Amino acid sequence: HLLQMLRKRGPCEESRRQTAREHLFWDTQPVPSMGSEYGQDSGPLDELRTVDDVRAEPYPLPDKFEWCTCNVDDDKEIDEIYTLLTENYVEDDDSMFRFDYSIHFLRWALKPPEFLRSWHLGVRVQGGGKLVGFITGIPAKIRVFEKSIQMAEINFLCVHKRLRSKRLAPVLIKEITRRVNRENVWQAVYTAGVVLPRPISECRYWHRSLNPKKLIEVGFSHLGARMTMARTIKLYKVPDMPQLPGMREMKKEDVPRVHGLVLNYLRKFTLHPEFTPEEVEHWMLPRPGVVYCYVRENEKGEVTDVCSFYSLPSSILGHAKHNTLKAAYSYWNVASTVPLQDLMYDALILAKQQDFDVFNALDIMENESFLKELKFGIGDGYLQYYLYNWKCPRIEPRGIGLVLL
Ligand SMILES: CCCCCCCCCCCCCC(=O)SCCNC(=O)CCNC(=O)[C@H](O)C(C)(C)COP(=O)(O)OP(=O)(O)OC[C@H]1O[C@@H](n2cnc3c(N)ncnc32)[C@H](O)[C@@H]1OP(=O)(O)O
Ligand SMILES: CNCCCN(C)c1ncc(F)c(N2CC(C(=O)NCc3cnc4ccccn34)C2)n1
């Protein structure tokens, strides 16, 4: 029993231990401290400031390094960003996989309407040398507990493996904060697999096998007890074609209708983006190898439902036979005339058609209503959601209506 107790060191145990440990950088930031209670009030933690109060020059970097503003439209620069990330970005705890965001994906993720190039921030070795650090922001109108706030979505924080544990991350975070504040934006939203001061929500990843043989070969999943490979393949088999009548790829003409469906649906959630039609067009119009989106057109030619997923492959580190895991991630889904479970079953079928090996979904929005029924298995990955300079009550996963890339 004692051993059982010890083994149960989940994230709550981890965060209890972190409460004991101080965060030398994060304890200087306008975020609630790890141990603080959630309370029922919402509001900024920093005193109100104006753009003129924000220092005009960039933060100093350690010797031998310099800031650079990255131009993701420049083929050479985007290739440097791709290379830094594909070699140094997020890995699983056992270093079996590492995200492999593609160049087309990165240009999509970093150039939504109203994007700012000054928020694509890099650190180079002095004299235009090697790119060794990166962090990005994009503008987004975020609604949280009935308050609409212009925020920055922060992502792609990365320090080269050879420069880790030198406190470079806090410098990157302070500089991106300065650049965002200079645009009169004072809040941010971000997610991470690590526990920091202080999560507003702790979500779980679920995985639906589409190519179980490959997933087992690469160690992503394991053959179930009393299961053969043949039985496992049969268990996860899906039809060749979508089952709902009228499913087809989204096209530009659908944007106004899809915007209406998504905007109305996201209002259910405590934390959600408030998209303009231009943003729905940017985030949901299909882009091969990047984002997939399908609508259901009923007998009267009306678009009534929409499902979408994005492509985020992972490099499989050190495997003889396979070097890429093709993963689809559930994105924006609105089922208004069919059960969400039936819509998502078609999403699985469409993802399998596109040769994805696995379909990932978080337990956010109404996803819990289909995860078990559609044979998703719970993963070991947690995704923590954070707000910067905004204290608010804790939000359950089902109250999260925001998916970051
Ligand atoms: C108003 C506008 C505000 C804008 C900004 C809003 C905030 C945005 C915040 C960023 C949102 C990012 C969203 C994403 O992209 S999440 C993905 C993050 N990227 C990776 O995991 C890629 C692989 N790892 C690395 O590249 C490095 O390990 C990183 C760069 C992550 C840390 O580099 P390194 O390992 O060499 O450490 P250090 O010595 O420099 O610094 C140590 C300090 O850094 C704190 N740390 C560690 N990991 C993270 C993390 N994921 N978010 C925030 N802080 C993190 C850590 O607690 C410690 O602080 P403290 O515990 O002592 O206090
Ligand atoms: C700031 N952006 C947040 C989204 C980035 N995303 C997609 C992400 N952030 C943390 C995770 F925990 C995670 N997980 C998907 C689950 C999973 O598939 N785990 C096995 C695995 C396969 N490949 C990789 C690569 C890195 C880490 C785990 N990997 C866990 N996803």
PDB file of all heavy atoms in Angstrom, residues 1-20:
ATOM      1  N   HIS A   1       0.841  -1.200   0.000  1.00  0.00           N
ATOM      2  CA  HIS A   1       0.000   0.000   0.000  1.00  0.00           C
ATOM      3  C   HIS A   1       0.882   1.259   0.000  1.00  0.00           C
ATOM      4  O   HIS A   1       0.634   2.218  -0.738  1.00  0.00           O
ATOM      5  CB  HIS A   1      -0.899  -0.015   1.254  1.00  0.00           C
ATOM      6  CG  HIS A   1      -1.763   1.221   1.343  1.00  0.00           C
ATOM      7  ND1 HIS A   1      -2.742   1.515   0.415  1.00  0.00           N
ATOM      8  CD2 HIS A   1      -1.750   2.265   2.203  1.00  0.00           C
ATOM      9  CE1 HIS A   1      -3.307   2.680   0.723  1.00  0.00           C
ATOM     10  NE2 HIS A   1      -2.710   3.155   1.814  1.00  0.00           N
ATOM     11  N   LEU A   2       1.945   1.202   0.792  1.00  0.00           N
ATOM     12  CA  LEU A   2       2.846   2.370   0.845  1.00  0.00           C
ATOM     13  C   LEU A   2       3.463   2.609  -0.533  1.00  0.00           C
ATOM     14  O   LEU A   2       3.490   3.722  -1.034  1.00  0.00           O
ATOM     15  CB  LEU A   2       3.966   2.114   1.875  1.00  0.00           C
ATOM     16  CG  LEU A   2       4.859   3.335   2.147  1.00  0.00           C
ATOM     17  CD1 LEU A   2       4.033   4.448   2.763  1.00  0.00           C
ATOM     18  CD2 LEU A   2       6.036   2.962   3.057  1.00  0.00           C
ATOM     19  N   LEU A   3       3.896   1.487  -1.170  1.00  0.00           N
ATOM     20  CA  LEU A   3       4.487   1.601  -2.501  1.00  0.00           C
ATOM     21  C   LEU A   3       3.475   2.215  -3.460  1.00  0.00           C
ATOM     22  O   LEU A   3       3.762   3.116  -4.218  1.00  0.00           O
ATOM     23  CB  LEU A   3       4.899   0.204  -3.004  1.00  0.00           C
ATOM     24  CG  LEU A   3       6.356  -0.187  -2.757  1.00  0.00           C
ATOM     25  CD1 LEU A   3       6.631  -1.590  -3.265  1.00  0.00           C
ATOM     26  CD2 LEU A   3       7.280   0.832  -3.433  1.00  0.00           C
ATOM     27  N   GLN A   4       2.217   1.728  -3.328  1.00  0.00           N
ATOM     28  CA  GLN A   4       1.149   2.243  -4.186  1.00  0.00           C
ATOM     29  C   GLN A   4       1.046   3.757  -3.993  1.00  0.00           C
ATOM     30  O   GLN A   4       0.977   4.528  -4.934  1.00  0.00           O
ATOM     31  CB  GLN A   4      -0.172   1.549  -3.782  1.00  0.00           C
ATOM     32  CG  GLN A   4      -1.255   1.620  -4.848  1.00  0.00           C
ATOM     33  CD  GLN A   4      -0.797   0.994  -6.166  1.00  0.00           C
ATOM     34  OE1 GLN A   4       0.115   0.182  -6.197  1.00  0.00           O
ATOM     35  NE2 GLN A   4      -1.397   1.417  -7.245  1.00  0.00           N
ATOM     36  N   MET A   5       1.091   4.150  -2.728  1.00  0.00           N
ATOM     37  CA  MET A   5       0.984   5.592  -2.404  1.00  0.00           C
ATOM     38  C   MET A   5       2.120   6.350  -3.076  1.00  0.00           C
ATOM     39  O   MET A   5       1.923   7.356  -3.731  1.00  0.00           O
ATOM     40  CB  MET A   5       1.097   5.753  -0.883  1.00  0.00           C
ATOM     41  CG  MET A   5      -0.155   5.348  -0.140  1.00  0.00           C
ATOM     42  SD  MET A   5      -1.117   6.808   0.223  1.00  0.00           S
ATOM     43  CE  MET A   5      -0.073   7.554   1.500  1.00  0.00           C
ATOM     44  N   LEU A   6       3.334   5.815  -2.935  1.00  0.00           N
ATOM     45  CA  LEU A   6       4.514   6.508  -3.481  1.00  0.00           C
ATOM     46  C   LEU A   6       4.393   6.624  -4.993  1.00  0.00           C
ATOM     47  O   LEU A   6       4.682   7.642  -5.586  1.00  0.00           O
ATOM     48  CB  LEU A   6       5.784   5.728  -3.109  1.00  0.00           C
ATOM     49  CG  LEU A   6       6.237   5.886  -1.654  1.00  0.00           C
ATOM     50  CD1 LEU A   6       7.403   4.973  -1.352  1.00  0.00           C
ATOM     51  CD2 LEU A   6       6.609   7.343  -1.395  1.00  0.00           C
ATOM     52  N   ARG A   7       3.882   5.513  -5.613  1.00  0.00           N
ATOM     53  CA  ARG A   7       3.806   5.525  -7.084  1.00  0.00           C
ATOM     54  C   ARG A   7       2.819   6.592  -7.547  1.00  0.00           C
ATOM     55  O   ARG A   7       2.916   7.133  -8.616  1.00  0.00           O
ATOM     56  CB  ARG A   7       3.354   4.141  -7.593  1.00  0.00           C
ATOM     57  CG  ARG A   7       4.426   3.475  -8.484  1.00  0.00           C
ATOM     58  CD  ARG A   7       3.866   2.364  -9.284  1.00  0.00           C
ATOM     59  NE  ARG A   7       3.273   1.335  -8.402  1.00  0.00           N
ATOM     60  CZ  ARG A   7       3.989   0.396  -7.802  1.00  0.00           C
ATOM     61  NH1 ARG A   7       5.304   0.365  -7.955  1.00  0.00           N
ATOM     62  NH2 ARG A   7       3.427  -0.504  -7.038  1.00  0.00           N
ATOM     63  N   LYS A   8       1.864   6.952  -6.687  1.00  0.00           N
ATOM     64  CA  LYS A   8       0.832   7.892  -7.148  1.00  0.00           C
ATOM     65  C   LYS A   8       1.353   9.320  -7.107  1.00  0.00           C
ATOM     66  O   LYS A   8       0.728  10.208  -6.581  1.00  0.00           O
ATOM     67  CB  LYS A   8      -0.422   7.764  -6.263  1.00  0.00           C
ATOM     68  CG  LYS A   8      -1.310   6.588  -6.632  1.00  0.00           C
ATOM     69  CD  LYS A   8      -2.747   6.831  -6.233  1.00  0.00           C
ATOM     70  CE  LYS A   8      -3.666   5.762  -6.800  1.00  0.00           C
ATOM     71  NZ  LYS A   8      -3.119   4.401  -6.645  1.00  0.00           N
ATOM     72  N   ARG A   9       2.586   9.523  -7.651  1.00  0.00           N
ATOM     73  CA  ARG A   9       3.085  10.910  -7.598  1.00  0.00           C
ATOM     74  C   ARG A   9       2.686  11.615  -8.879  1.00  0.00           C
ATOM     75  O   ARG A   9       3.482  11.856  -9.753  1.00  0.00           O
ATOM     76  CB  ARG A   9       4.613  10.898  -7.415  1.00  0.00           C
ATOM     77  CG  ARG A   9       4.970  10.573  -5.967  1.00  0.00           C
ATOM     78  CD  ARG A   9       6.357  10.095  -5.843  1.00  0.00           C
ATOM     79  NE  ARG A   9       7.320  11.044  -6.397  1.00  0.00           N
ATOM     80  CZ  ARG A   9       8.442  11.386  -5.770  1.00  0.00           C
ATOM     81  NH1 ARG A   9       8.695  10.896  -4.593  1.00  0.00           N
ATOM     82  NH2 ARG A   9       9.283  12.213  -6.337  1.00  0.00           N
ATOM     83  N   GLY A  10       1.400  11.935  -9.005  1.00  0.00           N
ATOM     84  CA  GLY A  10       0.923  12.620 -10.216  1.00  0.00           C
ATOM     85  C   GLY A  10       1.315  14.087 -10.163  1.00  0.00           C
ATOM     86  O   GLY A  10       2.114  14.480  -9.314  1.00  0.00           O
ATOM     87  N   PRO A  11       0.731  14.887 -11.068  1.00  0.00           N
ATOM     88  CA  PRO A  11       1.105  16.313 -11.120  1.00  0.00           C
ATOM     89  C   PRO A  11       0.760  17.044  -9.831  1.00  0.00           C
ATOM     90  O   PRO A  11       1.403  18.004  -9.483  1.00  0.00           O
ATOM     91  CB  PRO A  11       0.276  16.826 -12.283  1.00  0.00           C
ATOM     92  CG  PRO A  11      -0.792  15.842 -12.504  1.00  0.00           C
ATOM     93  CD  PRO A  11      -0.302  14.527 -11.996  1.00  0.00           C
ATOM     94  N   CYS A  12      -0.254  16.535  -9.100  1.00  0.00           N
ATOM     95  CA  CYS A  12      -0.610  17.272  -7.868  1.00  0.00           C
ATOM     96  C   CYS A  12       0.555  17.131  -6.881  1.00  0.00           C
ATOM     97  O   CYS A  12       0.968  18.092  -6.254  1.00  0.00           O
ATOM     98  CB  CYS A  12      -1.900  16.745  -7.248  1.00  0.00           C
ATOM     99  SG  CYS A  12      -1.948  14.970  -7.193  1.00  0.00           S
ATOM    100  N   GLU A  13       1.161  15.943  -6.857  1.00  0.00           N
ATOM    101  CA  GLU A  13       2.327  15.725  -5.996  1.00  0.00           C
ATOM    102  C   GLU A  13       3.451  16.629  -6.494  1.00  0.00           C
ATOM    103  O   GLU A  13       4.092  17.361  -5.735  1.00  0.00           O
ATOM    104  CB  GLU A  13       2.750  14.257  -6.051  1.00  0.00           C
ATOM    105  CG  GLU A  13       4.121  13.948  -5.451  1.00  0.00           C
ATOM    106  CD  GLU A  13       4.241  14.390  -4.011  1.00  0.00           C
ATOM    107  OE1 GLU A  13       3.191  14.428  -3.327  1.00  0.00           O
ATOM    108  OE2 GLU A  13       5.351  14.741  -3.577  1.00  0.00           O
ATOM    109  N   GLU A  14       3.604  16.654  -7.828  1.00  0.00           N
ATOM    110  CA  GLU A  14       4.664  17.472  -8.422  1.00  0.00           C
ATOM    111  C   GLU A  14       4.443  18.925  -8.029  1.00  0.00           C
ATOM    112  O   GLU A  14       5.367  19.609  -7.580  1.00  0.00           O
ATOM    113  CB  GLU A  14       4.619  17.306  -9.940  1.00  0.00           C
ATOM    114  CG  GLU A  14       5.547  18.205 -10.736  1.00  0.00           C
ATOM    115  CD  GLU A  14       7.018  17.979 -10.397  1.00  0.00           C
ATOM    116  OE1 GLU A  14       7.373  16.860 -10.000  1.00  0.00           O
ATOM    117  OE2 GLU A  14       7.789  18.944 -10.506  1.00  0.00           O
ATOM    118  N   SER A  15       3.222  19.394  -8.162  1.00  0.00           N
ATOM    119  CA  SER A  15       3.015  20.826  -7.888  1.00  0.00           C
ATOM    120  C   SER A  15       3.153  21.081  -6.388  1.00  0.00           C
ATOM    121  O   SER A  15       3.610  22.136  -5.987  1.00  0.00           O
ATOM    122  CB  SER A  15       1.652  21.296  -8.379  1.00  0.00           C
ATOM    123  OG  SER A  15       0.639  20.608  -7.693  1.00  0.00           O
ATOM    124  N   ARG A  16       2.831  20.087  -5.548  1.00  0.00           N
ATOM    125  CA  ARG A  16       3.021  20.292  -4.094  1.00  0.00           C
ATOM    126  C   ARG A  16       4.508  20.513  -3.846  1.00  0.00           C
ATOM    127  O   ARG A  16       4.910  21.449  -3.187  1.00  0.00           O
ATOM    128  CB  ARG A  16       2.535  19.069  -3.304  1.00  0.00           C
ATOM    129  CG  ARG A  16       2.442  19.285  -1.782  1.00  0.00           C
ATOM    130  CD  ARG A  16       2.447  17.979  -0.996  1.00  0.00           C
ATOM    131  NE  ARG A  16       3.682  17.217  -1.237  1.00  0.00           N
ATOM    132  CZ  ARG A  16       4.862  17.585  -0.748  1.00  0.00           C
ATOM    133  NH1 ARG A  16       4.981  18.690  -0.040  1.00  0.00           N
ATOM    134  NH2 ARG A  16       5.956  16.876  -0.996  1.00  0.00           N
ATOM    135  N   ARG A  17       5.344  19.687  -4.483  1.00  0.00           N
ATOM    136  CA  ARG A  17       6.794  19.813  -4.285  1.00  0.00           C
ATOM    137  C   ARG A  17       7.249  21.155  -4.846  1.00  0.00           C
ATOM    138  O   ARG A  17       8.080  21.838  -4.261  1.00  0.00           O
ATOM    139  CB  ARG A  17       7.529  18.653  -4.953  1.00  0.00           C
ATOM    140  CG  ARG A  17       7.384  17.371  -4.151  1.00  0.00           C
ATOM    141  CD  ARG A  17       8.402  16.308  -4.464  1.00  0.00           C
ATOM    142  NE  ARG A  17       8.273  15.788  -5.817  1.00  0.00           N
ATOM    143  CZ  ARG A  17       9.215  15.993  -6.738  1.00  0.00           C
ATOM    144  NH1 ARG A  17      10.278  16.693  -6.451  1.00  0.00           N
ATOM    145  NH2 ARG A  17       9.066  15.507  -7.940  1.00  0.00           N
ATOM    146  N   GLN A  18       6.651  21.582  -5.954  1.00  0.00           N
ATOM    147  CA  GLN A  18       7.088  22.861  -6.541  1.00  0.00           C
ATOM    148  C   GLN A  18       6.685  24.015  -5.635  1.00  0.00           C
ATOM    149  O   GLN A  18       7.362  25.032  -5.570  1.00  0.00           O
ATOM    150  CB  GLN A  18       6.470  23.024  -7.936  1.00  0.00           C
ATOM    151  CG  GLN A  18       7.031  21.993  -8.889  1.00  0.00           C
ATOM    152  CD  GLN A  18       7.124  22.515 -10.311  1.00  0.00           C
ATOM    153  OE1 GLN A  18       6.689  23.623 -10.593  1.00  0.00           O
ATOM    154  NE2 GLN A  18       7.707  21.718 -11.177  1.00  0.00           N
ATOM    155  N   THR A  19       5.541  23.825  -4.898  1.00  0.00           N
ATOM    156  CA  THR A  19       5.159  24.900  -3.968  1.00  0.00           C
ATOM    157  C   THR A  19       6.312  25.138  -3.016  1.00  0.00           C
ATOM    158  O   THR A  19       6.683  26.267  -2.712  1.00  0.00           O
ATOM    159  CB  THR A  19       3.902  24.486  -3.180  1.00  0.00           C
ATOM    160  OG1 THR A  19       2.936  24.065  -4.131  1.00  0.00           O
ATOM    161  CG2 THR A  19       3.353  25.642  -2.370  1.00  0.00           C
ATOM    162  N   ALA A  20       6.914  24.034  -2.595  1.00  0.00           N
ATOM    163  CA  ALA A  20       8.052  24.162  -1.672  1.00  0.00           C
ATOM    164  C   ALA A  20       9.193  24.891  -2.385  1.00  0.00           C
ATOM    165  O   ALA A  20       9.772  25.823  -1.833  1.00  0.00           O
ATOM    166  CB  ALA A  20       8.493  22.774  -1.243  1.00  0.00           C
TER     167      ALA A  20
END
